Amino acid sequence: MTYEEMQAKLKSRLKPGRYEHSLGVAETAAFLAGRFQVSEEKARIAGLLHDCARQYPNEQLPAEAARRGIAIGPVEKAMPLLLHAYIGAELAREEYGIDDEEICRAIYRHTVGGRNMTALDKIIYFADMIEPGRSYPEVEELRRLSREASLDEMVLEGLSRSIIFVASKGHLLHPDTIAARNDILLKNSAEDLD
């Protein structure tokens, strides 16, 4: 399937605002990929398809996950919307013909992150936070980091702000988000010792 065919299929399945968001993430991801020497093609595809499972209503996500054998942890059970990332990785394979594990993994990880994130994982996670349609108080600072900071510095700040925001709302913190942040801190502190 060509990129244009993926766009057309996605456009037919998502609400217009979600589709526009997906286009914004795709272009932001391609920019970041160019900056950090990662495949722009993979970043653009992962960015485009990252929310493909948002075609399902939230209440349908647990059934879609179960149908695909995707484990539903206690945090996902309490917040089913998180399942869209995991289901999206499967939908990318099933409906868009994506057989590249790097792309599918970046889609899988785009919402909560995780340990040992690849550069592509980090790019999709961060592109989702700063695409041009996003509007919240800290977004301009994060966009500045996307132009000036290292990949790990940028993503660490994104993870930290996400954790603070979610905690301030009284919501559950996903253990993968905390693991992703700790992983970057531990990796960088080990490099500082070398």
Coordinates of all heavy atoms in Angstrom, one line a residue, residues 11 15-25 131:
K11 N -8.2 8.4 6.3 CA -9.2 9.6 6.2 C -10.6 9.0 6.3 O -11.5 9.7 6.9 CB -8.9 10.4 5.0 CG -9.8 11.6 4.9 CD -9.4 12.5 3.7 CE -10.2 13.8 3.8 NZ -9.8 14.7 2.6
K15 N -12.4 10.5 12.4 CA -13.0 11.8 12.4 C -12.1 12.8 11.8 O -10.8 12.7 12.0 CB -13.4 12.2 13.8 CG -14.5 11.3 14.4 CD -14.9 11.7 15.8 CE -16.0 10.8 16.3 NZ -16.3 11.0 17.7
P16 N -12.6 13.9 11.2 CA -11.7 14.9 10.5 C -10.6 15.4 11.4 O -9.4 15.5 11.0 CB -12.6 16.0 10.0 CG -13.9 15.2 9.9 CD -14.0 14.2 10.9
G17 N -10.9 15.8 12.7 CA -9.9 16.4 13.6 C -8.8 15.4 13.9 O -7.6 15.7 14.0
R18 N -9.2 14.1 14.1 CA -8.2 13.1 14.4 C -7.3 12.8 13.2 O -6.1 12.6 13.3 CB -8.9 11.8 14.8 CG -8.0 10.6 15.2 CD -7.2 10.8 16.4 NE -7.9 11.4 17.5 CZ -7.3 11.9 18.6 NH1 -6.0 11.8 18.7 NH2 -8.0 12.4 19.6
Y19 N -7.9 12.9 12.0 CA -7.1 12.7 10.8 C -6.1 13.8 10.6 O -5.0 13.6 10.3 CB -8.1 12.6 9.5 CG -7.3 12.5 8.2 CD1 -6.6 11.3 7.9 CD2 -7.3 13.5 7.3 CE1 -5.9 11.3 6.7 CE2 -6.6 13.5 6.2 CZ -5.9 12.3 5.8 OH -5.2 12.3 4.7
E20 N -6.6 15.1 10.8 CA -5.7 16.2 10.7 C -4.5 16.1 11.7 O -3.4 16.4 11.4 CB -6.4 17.5 10.9 CG -7.3 17.9 9.7 CD -6.6 18.0 8.4 OE1 -5.5 18.6 8.4 OE2 -7.1 17.4 7.4
H21 N -4.8 15.6 12.9 CA -3.8 15.4 14.0 C -2.8 14.4 13.4 O -1.6 14.6 13.6 CB -4.5 14.9 15.2 CG -3.5 14.3 16.2 ND1 -2.6 15.0 17.0 CD2 -3.4 13.0 16.6 CE1 -1.9 14.2 17.7 NE2 -2.4 13.0 17.5
S22 N -3.3 13.3 12.8 CA -2.4 12.3 12.3 C -1.5 12.8 11.2 O -0.3 12.5 11.2 CB -3.2 11.1 11.8 OG -4.0 10.5 12.8
L23 N -2.0 13.7 10.3 CA -1.1 14.3 9.3 C -0.1 15.2 10.0 O 1.1 15.2 9.6 CB -2.0 15.1 8.4 CG -2.9 14.4 7.5 CD1 -3.7 15.4 6.6 CD2 -2.2 13.4 6.6
G24 N -0.5 15.9 11.0 CA 0.5 16.7 11.8 C 1.6 15.9 12.4 O 2.8 16.3 12.4
V25 N 1.2 14.8 13.0 CA 2.2 13.9 13.7 C 3.1 13.4 12.6 O 4.4 13.3 12.8 CB 1.5 12.8 14.5 CG1 2.6 11.9 15.1 CG2 0.8 13.4 15.7
E131 N 2.8 18.2 17.7 CA 2.4 18.5 16.3 C 1.6 19.8 16.3 O 1.1 20.3 17.3 CB 1.6 17.3 15.8 CG 0.3 17.0 16.5 CD -0.9 17.8 15.9 OE1 -0.8 18.4 14.8 OE2 -2.0 17.7 16.5

